[in-house]
Amino acid sequence: MKTIFLRLCIFLAGIVFVISAFAQNHFKIIPLGVYGGSDESNLSAYLLSVHGTNNFICMDAGTLHDGIEKAIEEKSINGTEPDILRNDIKGYLISHPHLDHVAGLIINSPADSSKNIYALPFCLNTLEEKYFTWESWANFGDEGEKPLLKKYHYVSLSEDSETVLQNTGMMVSAFELSHAFPNKSSAFLVRHDSDFVLYLGDTGADTIEQSNRLKLLWQYIAPLVTQLQLKGIFIEVSFPDEQPKDKLFGHLTPGLFFDEMKILSGLSNLSSLQKIPIIITHIKPDGDNENKIKKELVSGNTIKLHLIFPQQGSLIKL
Ligand SMILES: [Zn+2]
Ligand SMILES: [Zn+2]
């Protein structure tokens, strides 16, 4: 009798553990590419889905094919590369049209299935006018130079309202960022129910860009930090601290990243911000930069943020 009771207790404890583990995870991320240059097999692209589903939105699309292959190898996702590309990726959310964020999308377009590309108008214009044209490639879009192959439907995001990310169960709001003024980039606040993920495309610091774009973003998300509704922040750190200020080209260094996080912490509170995983994206891996940047981020992390260095193909649960 005693043993049965004990077994029952262990069984129930197991169920409680599984349920609480489920309750803690809200989103699933599979990085398909993590670098901000040089290695064309591993450039910015992050699959994001609601936990427990494989209905992904692909945030930036620098690398697709190699990243999917790697994710299969790492057992982060089941299936074949063509199936995952065509069926599991439901759409693309593009922060800005630099090649390291769209090369995978363009190159894989002949093999892809019909889906939406979501972006702010400045970004859709470049895709339409510079890449999906008959001189550069083929027009797989549903606007621009004729004939239109209409595989991709351009969905223009607005800064004032949420847009449905079709077939993913998620919604998105977009924010303009400054990326080597006057060049623009975007941040995306993705929502499922009352849980959020924030993804920043390439961005310079407000101090360098003479901008207030990051400050406005931090002000907007501060309440979500305080209430712990924000489950993760993706933000770039492209260069080590030694990079001269006039050679930043609209990017962050570890020092500038911590300055921005301190502003966000001031607008919310540090103890909440420390609980939110911060995924460091877009390291430019030239020379020994990757090691330098990681060392500077670890040694400079006096405010004890929860930093994550993503690996191509390795699952992240938020
Ligand atoms: Zn980039
Ligand atoms: Zn860029």
Side-chain angles (χ1 to χ4, degrees):
M1 191 65 189
K2 228 179 180 178
T3 358
I4 293 172
F5 181 69
L6 195 67
R7 277 186 187 161
L8 188 67
C9 286
I10 293 170
F11 177 66
L12 288 176
I15 289 180
V16 170
F17 175 76
V18 167
I19 290 172
S20 62
F22 261 106
Q24 277 163 12
N25 292 320
H26 306 272
F27 295 99
K28 177 161 82 176
I29 284 121
I30 303 175
L32 299 183
V34 300
Y35 291 134
S38 303
D39 179 355
E40 77 245 32
S41 71
N42 194 353
L43 298 172
S44 292
Y46 296 87
L47 295 185
L48 171 73
S49 74
V50 174
H51 183 78
T53 81
N54 272 350
N55 302 321
F56 294 105
I57 189 75
C58 186
M59 303 190 295
D60 282 333
T63 296
L64 295 179
H65 181 90
D66 288 312
I68 295 171
E69 294 282 9
K70 185 81 184 173
I72 296 169
E73 204 181 295
E74 299 278 320
K75 303 199 185 326
S76 297
I77 191 165
N78 291 322
T80 63
E81 189 277 335
D83 268 353
I84 293 165
L85 174 73
R86 293 176 57 85
N87 304 324
D88 292 351
I89 299 179
K90 306 296 185 191
Y92 301 95
L93 197 46
I94 305 295
S95 67
H96 69 300
H98 281 162
L99 275 171
D100 55 316
H101 299 256
V102 296
L105 166 60
I106 297 161
I107 293 295
N108 289 284
S109 52
D112 207 351
S113 62
S114 181
K115 56 192 73 163
N116 290 346
I117 299 176
Y118 306 86
L120 284 171
F122 78 89
C123 179
L124 290 182
N125 285 346
T126 306
L127 287 175
E128 183 187 319
E129 286 168 19
K130 307 289 184 198
Y131 298 140
F132 286 129
T133 69
W134 290 99
E135 263 182 67
S136 301
W137 192 240
N139 189 1
F140 285 98
D142 63 347
E143 281 174 65
E145 195 185 343
K146 289 191 172 71
L148 310 172
L149 297 177
K150 296 186 183 175
K151 182 177 276 190
Y152 296 119
H153 173 50
Y154 296 124
V155 179
S156 197
L157 301 177
S158 124
E159 289 194 88
D160 310 311
S161 59
E162 271 192 324
T163 301
V164 174
L165 295 169
Q166 268 182 23
N167 306 316
T168 68
M170 297 181 283
M171 313 272 287
V172 66
S173 322
F175 301 81
E176 196 180 295
L177 297 175
S178 185
H179 179 33
F181 182 82
N183 293 324
K184 296 171 184 177
S185 173
S186 327
F188 300 121
L189 185 63
V190 179
R191 178 173 73 82
H192 172 249
D193 291 340
S194 53
D195 301 321
F196 294 81
V197 166
L198 178 69
Y199 176 88
L200 287 91
D202 297 359
T203 183
D206 281 351
T207 45
I208 307 285
E209 299 279 322
Q210 315 242 305
S211 160
N212 63 352
R213 289 287 169 186
L214 283 177
K215 178 135 191 244
L216 292 173
L217 180 63
W218 305 146
Q219 282 170 340
Y220 190 91
I221 64 153
L224 303 178
V225 173
T226 312
Q227 292 151 31
L228 297 176
Q229 283 175 276
L230 192 64
K231 303 304 175 190
I233 300 175
F234 292 72
I235 184 167
E236 72 128 283
V237 180
S238 297
F239 293 115
D241 282 327
E242 71 197 19
Q243 188 77 5
K245 279 200 167 66
D246 61 347
K247 299 263 181 317
L248 286 170
F249 310 112
H251 293 294
L252 297 173
T253 59
L256 293 167
F257 159 76
F258 284 118
D259 289 348
E260 292 296 337
M261 288 301 102
K262 283 170 194 163
I263 295 171
L264 176 57
S265 150
L267 291 163
S268 51
N269 67 65
L270 183 58
S271 68
S272 299
L273 188 58
Q274 285 167 335
K275 294 191 183 78
I276 297 173
I278 300 176
I279 296 146
I280 303 295
T281 66
H282 208 267
I283 288 176
K284 287 181 178 282
D286 314 65
D288 194 31
N289 278 2
E290 185 172 6
N291 277 331
K292 278 187 196 162
I293 292 169
K294 287 182 176 173
K295 266 189 198 154
E296 288 168 1
L297 284 169
V298 170
S299 66
N301 192 8
T302 52
I303 54 172
K304 295 191 164 45
L305 298 176
H306 177 187
L307 303 182
I308 291 180
F309 298 106
Q311 300 273 334
Q312 185 180 39
S314 295
L315 185 67
I316 298 171
K317 292 175 181 175
L318 296 179

mmCIF file of all heavy atoms in Angstrom, residues 114-146:
data_model
loop_
_atom_site.group_PDB
_atom_site.id
_atom_site.type_symbol
_atom_site.label_atom_id
_atom_site.label_comp_id
_atom_site.label_asym_id
_atom_site.label_seq_id
_atom_site.Cartn_x
_atom_site.Cartn_y
_atom_site.Cartn_z
ATOM 1 N N SER A 114 4.269 29.563 -51.672
ATOM 2 C CA SER A 114 3.667 30.891 -51.636
ATOM 3 C C SER A 114 3.439 31.345 -50.189
ATOM 4 O O SER A 114 2.891 30.589 -49.386
ATOM 5 C CB SER A 114 2.325 30.800 -52.375
ATOM 6 O OG SER A 114 1.729 32.056 -52.390
ATOM 7 N N LYS A 115 3.896 32.544 -49.839
ATOM 8 C CA LYS A 115 3.702 33.049 -48.467
ATOM 9 C C LYS A 115 3.867 34.558 -48.421
ATOM 10 O O LYS A 115 4.167 35.184 -49.450
ATOM 11 C CB LYS A 115 4.638 32.337 -47.495
ATOM 12 C CG LYS A 115 6.101 32.404 -47.830
ATOM 13 C CD LYS A 115 6.956 31.436 -46.982
ATOM 14 C CE LYS A 115 6.802 29.979 -47.364
ATOM 15 N NZ LYS A 115 7.886 29.113 -46.840
ATOM 16 N N ASN A 116 3.693 35.113 -47.226
ATOM 17 C CA ASN A 116 3.772 36.566 -47.055
ATOM 18 C C ASN A 116 5.165 37.019 -46.656
ATOM 19 O O ASN A 116 5.859 36.334 -45.896
ATOM 20 C CB ASN A 116 2.806 37.032 -45.958
ATOM 21 C CG ASN A 116 1.351 36.899 -46.384
ATOM 22 O OD1 ASN A 116 1.066 36.715 -47.561
ATOM 23 N ND2 ASN A 116 0.447 37.002 -45.429
ATOM 24 N N ILE A 117 5.538 38.200 -47.130
ATOM 25 C CA ILE A 117 6.736 38.885 -46.634
ATOM 26 C C ILE A 117 6.239 40.153 -45.935
ATOM 27 O O ILE A 117 5.588 41.001 -46.565
ATOM 28 C CB ILE A 117 7.702 39.275 -47.777
ATOM 29 C CG1 ILE A 117 8.184 38.024 -48.520
ATOM 30 C CG2 ILE A 117 8.887 40.067 -47.233
ATOM 31 C CD1 ILE A 117 9.079 38.330 -49.728
ATOM 32 N N TYR A 118 6.538 40.253 -44.632
ATOM 33 C CA TYR A 118 6.092 41.391 -43.824
ATOM 34 C C TYR A 118 7.268 42.323 -43.583
ATOM 35 O O TYR A 118 8.338 41.875 -43.152
ATOM 36 C CB TYR A 118 5.592 40.922 -42.457
ATOM 37 C CG TYR A 118 4.521 39.851 -42.498
ATOM 38 C CD1 TYR A 118 4.864 38.507 -42.574
ATOM 39 C CD2 TYR A 118 3.169 40.191 -42.428
ATOM 40 C CE1 TYR A 118 3.879 37.514 -42.590
ATOM 41 C CE2 TYR A 118 2.184 39.212 -42.445
ATOM 42 C CZ TYR A 118 2.549 37.880 -42.524
ATOM 43 O OH TYR A 118 1.576 36.905 -42.543
ATOM 44 N N ALA A 119 7.068 43.619 -43.788
ATOM 45 C CA ALA A 119 8.120 44.595 -43.487
ATOM 46 C C ALA A 119 7.532 45.997 -43.536
ATOM 47 O O ALA A 119 6.417 46.194 -44.043
ATOM 48 C CB ALA A 119 9.266 44.469 -44.489
ATOM 49 N N LEU A 120 8.298 46.954 -43.021
ATOM 50 C CA LEU A 120 7.902 48.359 -43.175
ATOM 51 C C LEU A 120 8.048 48.734 -44.661
ATOM 52 O O LEU A 120 8.844 48.117 -45.389
ATOM 53 C CB LEU A 120 8.772 49.254 -42.284
ATOM 54 C CG LEU A 120 8.422 49.224 -40.783
ATOM 55 C CD1 LEU A 120 9.487 49.971 -39.961
ATOM 56 C CD2 LEU A 120 7.038 49.827 -40.511
ATOM 57 N N PRO A 121 7.324 49.758 -45.106
ATOM 58 C CA PRO A 121 7.319 50.095 -46.538
ATOM 59 C C PRO A 121 8.706 50.340 -47.134
ATOM 60 O O PRO A 121 8.984 49.911 -48.265
ATOM 61 C CB PRO A 121 6.469 51.368 -46.583
ATOM 62 C CG PRO A 121 5.545 51.246 -45.414
ATOM 63 C CD PRO A 121 6.332 50.535 -44.343
ATOM 64 N N PHE A 122 9.621 50.998 -46.396
ATOM 65 C CA PHE A 122 10.945 51.292 -46.984
ATOM 66 C C PHE A 122 11.655 49.999 -47.388
ATOM 67 O O PHE A 122 12.382 49.944 -48.381
ATOM 68 C CB PHE A 122 11.810 52.102 -45.995
ATOM 69 C CG PHE A 122 12.429 51.279 -44.893
ATOM 70 C CD1 PHE A 122 13.670 50.678 -45.080
ATOM 71 C CD2 PHE A 122 11.766 51.088 -43.683
ATOM 72 C CE1 PHE A 122 14.242 49.909 -44.074
ATOM 73 C CE2 PHE A 122 12.332 50.319 -42.677
ATOM 74 C CZ PHE A 122 13.564 49.726 -42.864
ATOM 75 N N CYS A 123 11.438 48.947 -46.612
ATOM 76 C CA CYS A 123 12.111 47.668 -46.843
ATOM 77 C C CYS A 123 11.457 46.905 -47.999
ATOM 78 O O CYS A 123 12.145 46.376 -48.886
ATOM 79 C CB CYS A 123 12.077 46.863 -45.545
ATOM 80 S SG CYS A 123 12.838 45.254 -45.656
ATOM 81 N N LEU A 124 10.123 46.895 -48.027
ATOM 82 C CA LEU A 124 9.415 46.236 -49.136
ATOM 83 C C LEU A 124 9.768 46.901 -50.466
ATOM 84 O O LEU A 124 9.944 46.222 -51.480
ATOM 85 C CB LEU A 124 7.895 46.297 -48.912
ATOM 86 C CG LEU A 124 7.338 45.439 -47.773
ATOM 87 C CD1 LEU A 124 5.817 45.569 -47.715
ATOM 88 C CD2 LEU A 124 7.731 43.973 -47.907
ATOM 89 N N ASN A 125 9.910 48.241 -50.449
ATOM 90 C CA ASN A 125 10.254 48.957 -51.685
ATOM 91 C C ASN A 125 11.569 48.468 -52.266
ATOM 92 O O ASN A 125 11.697 48.285 -53.473
ATOM 93 C CB ASN A 125 10.362 50.470 -51.427
ATOM 94 C CG ASN A 125 8.991 51.094 -51.264
ATOM 95 O OD1 ASN A 125 7.984 50.467 -51.595
ATOM 96 N ND2 ASN A 125 8.949 52.310 -50.724
ATOM 97 N N THR A 126 12.571 48.264 -51.399
ATOM 98 C CA THR A 126 13.873 47.810 -51.898
ATOM 99 C C THR A 126 13.781 46.383 -52.434
ATOM 100 O O THR A 126 14.350 46.068 -53.483
ATOM 101 C CB THR A 126 14.945 47.920 -50.791
ATOM 102 O OG1 THR A 126 14.948 49.247 -50.303
ATOM 103 C CG2 THR A 126 16.324 47.551 -51.310
ATOM 104 N N LEU A 127 13.058 45.508 -51.722
ATOM 105 C CA LEU A 127 12.889 44.131 -52.224
ATOM 106 C C LEU A 127 12.267 44.156 -53.620
ATOM 107 O O LEU A 127 12.705 43.458 -54.530
ATOM 108 C CB LEU A 127 11.976 43.326 -51.284
ATOM 109 C CG LEU A 127 12.560 42.907 -49.944
ATOM 110 C CD1 LEU A 127 11.491 42.227 -49.087
ATOM 111 C CD2 LEU A 127 13.748 41.970 -50.132
ATOM 112 N N GLU A 128 11.245 45.014 -53.736
ATOM 113 C CA GLU A 128 10.480 45.088 -54.985
ATOM 114 C C GLU A 128 11.286 45.732 -56.122
ATOM 115 O O GLU A 128 11.262 45.257 -57.252
ATOM 116 C CB GLU A 128 9.222 45.913 -54.672
ATOM 117 C CG GLU A 128 8.257 46.056 -55.794
ATOM 118 C CD GLU A 128 7.148 47.048 -55.411
ATOM 119 O OE1 GLU A 128 6.673 47.020 -54.254
ATOM 120 O OE2 GLU A 128 6.772 47.865 -56.272
ATOM 121 N N GLU A 129 12.023 46.795 -55.763
ATOM 122 C CA GLU A 129 12.681 47.574 -56.825
ATOM 123 C C GLU A 129 14.102 47.119 -57.148
ATOM 124 O O GLU A 129 14.595 47.364 -58.245
ATOM 125 C CB GLU A 129 12.701 49.059 -56.434
ATOM 126 C CG GLU A 129 11.336 49.705 -56.568
ATOM 127 C CD GLU A 129 11.270 51.076 -55.904
ATOM 128 O OE1 GLU A 129 12.349 51.670 -55.665
ATOM 129 O OE2 GLU A 129 10.146 51.534 -55.622
ATOM 130 N N LYS A 130 14.784 46.473 -56.179
ATOM 131 C CA LYS A 130 16.195 46.132 -56.407
ATOM 132 C C LYS A 130 16.481 44.635 -56.539
ATOM 133 O O LYS A 130 17.430 44.250 -57.209
ATOM 134 C CB LYS A 130 17.069 46.668 -55.260
ATOM 135 C CG LYS A 130 16.899 48.134 -54.958
ATOM 136 C CD LYS A 130 17.477 49.013 -56.053
ATOM 137 C CE LYS A 130 17.376 50.486 -55.667
ATOM 138 N NZ LYS A 130 17.525 51.363 -56.822
ATOM 139 N N TYR A 131 15.719 43.798 -55.838
ATOM 140 C CA TYR A 131 16.066 42.366 -55.825
ATOM 141 C C TYR A 131 15.097 41.518 -56.650
ATOM 142 O O TYR A 131 15.523 40.767 -57.517
ATOM 143 C CB TYR A 131 16.100 41.827 -54.389
ATOM 144 C CG TYR A 131 17.119 42.471 -53.482
ATOM 145 C CD1 TYR A 131 16.802 42.762 -52.156
ATOM 146 C CD2 TYR A 131 18.403 42.772 -53.932
ATOM 147 C CE1 TYR A 131 17.736 43.324 -51.299
ATOM 148 C CE2 TYR A 131 19.341 43.333 -53.082
ATOM 149 C CZ TYR A 131 19.002 43.619 -51.757
ATOM 150 O OH TYR A 131 19.920 44.175 -50.922
ATOM 151 N N PHE A 132 13.802 41.617 -56.346
ATOM 152 C CA PHE A 132 12.844 40.813 -57.108
ATOM 153 C C PHE A 132 12.478 41.569 -58.390
ATOM 154 O O PHE A 132 11.362 42.031 -58.585
ATOM 155 C CB PHE A 132 11.612 40.471 -56.259
ATOM 156 C CG PHE A 132 11.881 39.409 -55.221
ATOM 157 C CD1 PHE A 132 11.537 39.596 -53.893
ATOM 158 C CD2 PHE A 132 12.501 38.208 -55.583
ATOM 159 C CE1 PHE A 132 11.788 38.609 -52.938
ATOM 160 C CE2 PHE A 132 12.767 37.219 -54.639
ATOM 161 C CZ PHE A 132 12.412 37.419 -53.311
ATOM 162 N N THR A 133 13.515 41.703 -59.246
ATOM 163 C CA THR A 133 13.337 42.323 -60.556
ATOM 164 C C THR A 133 13.913 41.334 -61.569
ATOM 165 O O THR A 133 14.664 40.430 -61.209
ATOM 166 C CB THR A 133 14.124 43.641 -60.674
ATOM 167 O OG1 THR A 133 15.525 43.326 -60.698
ATOM 168 C CG2 THR A 133 13.845 44.583 -59.504
ATOM 169 N N TRP A 134 13.595 41.544 -62.840
ATOM 170 C CA TRP A 134 14.031 40.586 -63.863
ATOM 171 C C TRP A 134 15.495 40.777 -64.242
ATOM 172 O O TRP A 134 16.085 39.921 -64.891
ATOM 173 C CB TRP A 134 13.091 40.641 -65.067
ATOM 174 C CG TRP A 134 11.756 40.063 -64.683
ATOM 175 C CD1 TRP A 134 10.638 40.753 -64.335
ATOM 176 C CD2 TRP A 134 11.438 38.679 -64.522
ATOM 177 N NE1 TRP A 134 9.630 39.886 -63.969
ATOM 178 C CE2 TRP A 134 10.087 38.603 -64.077
ATOM 179 C CE3 TRP A 134 12.144 37.490 -64.703
ATOM 180 C CZ2 TRP A 134 9.452 37.393 -63.827
ATOM 181 C CZ3 TRP A 134 11.500 36.283 -64.455
ATOM 182 C CH2 TRP A 134 10.176 36.242 -64.025
ATOM 183 N N GLU A 135 16.101 41.908 -63.851
ATOM 184 C CA GLU A 135 17.540 42.077 -64.098
ATOM 185 C C GLU A 135 18.368 41.422 -63.019
ATOM 186 O O GLU A 135 19.419 40.836 -63.278
ATOM 187 C CB GLU A 135 17.881 43.576 -64.158
ATOM 188 C CG GLU A 135 17.931 44.104 -65.565
ATOM 189 C CD GLU A 135 18.309 45.566 -65.594
ATOM 190 O OE1 GLU A 135 19.453 45.876 -65.239
ATOM 191 O OE2 GLU A 135 17.443 46.386 -65.960
ATOM 192 N N SER A 136 17.917 41.540 -61.743
ATOM 193 C CA SER A 136 18.687 40.957 -60.641
ATOM 194 C C SER A 136 18.433 39.470 -60.491
ATOM 195 O O SER A 136 19.317 38.694 -60.149
ATOM 196 C CB SER A 136 18.302 41.591 -59.311
ATOM 197 O OG SER A 136 18.529 42.944 -59.330
ATOM 198 N N TRP A 137 17.168 39.060 -60.716
ATOM 199 C CA TRP A 137 16.759 37.681 -60.388
ATOM 200 C C TRP A 137 15.493 37.390 -61.170
ATOM 201 O O TRP A 137 15.498 37.416 -62.402
ATOM 202 C CB TRP A 137 16.541 37.606 -58.870
ATOM 203 C CG TRP A 137 16.400 36.258 -58.260
ATOM 204 C CD1 TRP A 137 15.318 35.793 -57.555
ATOM 205 C CD2 TRP A 137 17.355 35.189 -58.238
ATOM 206 N NE1 TRP A 137 15.558 34.513 -57.108
ATOM 207 C CE2 TRP A 137 16.796 34.120 -57.510
ATOM 208 C CE3 TRP A 137 18.651 35.022 -58.771
ATOM 209 C CZ2 TRP A 137 17.459 32.900 -57.300
ATOM 210 C CZ3 TRP A 137 19.320 33.820 -58.557
ATOM 211 C CH2 TRP A 137 18.719 32.776 -57.828
ATOM 212 N N ALA A 138 14.382 37.156 -60.473
ATOM 213 C CA ALA A 138 13.072 37.014 -61.121
ATOM 214 C C ALA A 138 12.090 37.660 -60.165
ATOM 215 O O ALA A 138 12.343 37.676 -58.961
ATOM 216 C CB ALA A 138 12.731 35.545 -61.315
ATOM 217 N N ASN A 139 11.003 38.183 -60.688
ATOM 218 C CA ASN A 139 10.080 38.857 -59.774
ATOM 219 C C ASN A 139 9.079 37.878 -59.167
ATOM 220 O O ASN A 139 7.988 37.664 -59.693
ATOM 221 C CB ASN A 139 9.361 40.018 -60.452
ATOM 222 C CG ASN A 139 8.568 40.829 -59.424
ATOM 223 O OD1 ASN A 139 8.589 40.510 -58.230
ATOM 224 N ND2 ASN A 139 7.864 41.848 -59.878
ATOM 225 N N PHE A 140 9.475 37.320 -58.009
ATOM 226 C CA PHE A 140 8.601 36.390 -57.280
ATOM 227 C C PHE A 140 7.537 37.134 -56.466
ATOM 228 O O PHE A 140 6.709 36.506 -55.822
ATOM 229 C CB PHE A 140 9.430 35.486 -56.360
ATOM 230 C CG PHE A 140 10.174 34.403 -57.105
ATOM 231 C CD1 PHE A 140 11.520 34.558 -57.431
ATOM 232 C CD2 PHE A 140 9.524 33.247 -57.499
ATOM 233 C CE1 PHE A 140 12.191 33.570 -58.131
ATOM 234 C CE2 PHE A 140 10.194 32.248 -58.198
ATOM 235 C CZ PHE A 140 11.538 32.413 -58.523
ATOM 236 N N GLY A 141 7.599 38.469 -56.467
ATOM 237 C CA GLY A 141 6.660 39.263 -55.689
ATOM 238 C C GLY A 141 5.331 39.465 -56.413
ATOM 239 O O GLY A 141 5.167 39.068 -57.570
ATOM 240 N N ASP A 142 4.397 40.097 -55.690
ATOM 241 C CA ASP A 142 3.096 40.388 -56.304
ATOM 242 C C ASP A 142 2.948 41.869 -56.636
ATOM 243 O O ASP A 142 1.851 42.357 -56.881
ATOM 244 C CB ASP A 142 1.937 39.888 -55.427
ATOM 245 C CG ASP A 142 1.866 40.583 -54.075
ATOM 246 O OD1 ASP A 142 2.840 41.272 -53.702
ATOM 247 O OD2 ASP A 142 0.837 40.420 -53.385
ATOM 248 N N GLU A 143 4.101 42.570 -56.595
ATOM 249 C CA GLU A 143 4.115 43.963 -57.039
ATOM 250 C C GLU A 143 5.445 44.212 -57.734
ATOM 251 O O GLU A 143 6.388 43.452 -57.568
ATOM 252 C CB GLU A 143 3.964 44.911 -55.843
ATOM 253 C CG GLU A 143 2.529 45.039 -55.359
ATOM 254 C CD GLU A 143 2.423 45.853 -54.087
ATOM 255 O OE1 GLU A 143 2.738 47.046 -54.123
ATOM 256 O OE2 GLU A 143 2.032 45.262 -53.060
ATOM 257 N N GLY A 144 5.543 45.314 -58.470
ATOM 258 C CA GLY A 144 6.799 45.674 -59.116
ATOM 259 C C GLY A 144 6.810 45.316 -60.584
ATOM 260 O O GLY A 144 5.764 45.314 -61.248
ATOM 261 N N GLU A 145 8.038 44.986 -61.058
ATOM 262 C CA GLU A 145 8.247 44.792 -62.495
ATOM 263 C C GLU A 145 7.487 43.572 -63.028
ATOM 264 O O GLU A 145 7.554 42.495 -62.464
ATOM 265 C CB GLU A 145 9.757 44.608 -62.725
ATOM 266 C CG GLU A 145 10.180 44.758 -64.159
ATOM 267 C CD GLU A 145 11.668 44.438 -64.324
ATOM 268 O OE1 GLU A 145 12.405 44.423 -63.316
ATOM 269 O OE2 GLU A 145 12.079 44.206 -65.475
ATOM 270 N N LYS A 146 6.798 43.762 -64.120
ATOM 271 C CA LYS A 146 5.991 42.674 -64.709
ATOM 272 C C LYS A 146 6.864 41.807 -65.628
ATOM 273 O O LYS A 146 7.841 42.305 -66.151
ATOM 274 C CB LYS A 146 4.818 43.282 -65.491
ATOM 275 C CG LYS A 146 3.797 43.890 -64.556
ATOM 276 C CD LYS A 146 2.519 44.257 -65.289
ATOM 277 C CE LYS A 146 1.425 44.683 -64.334
ATOM 278 N NZ LYS A 146 1.633 46.000 -63.696
#
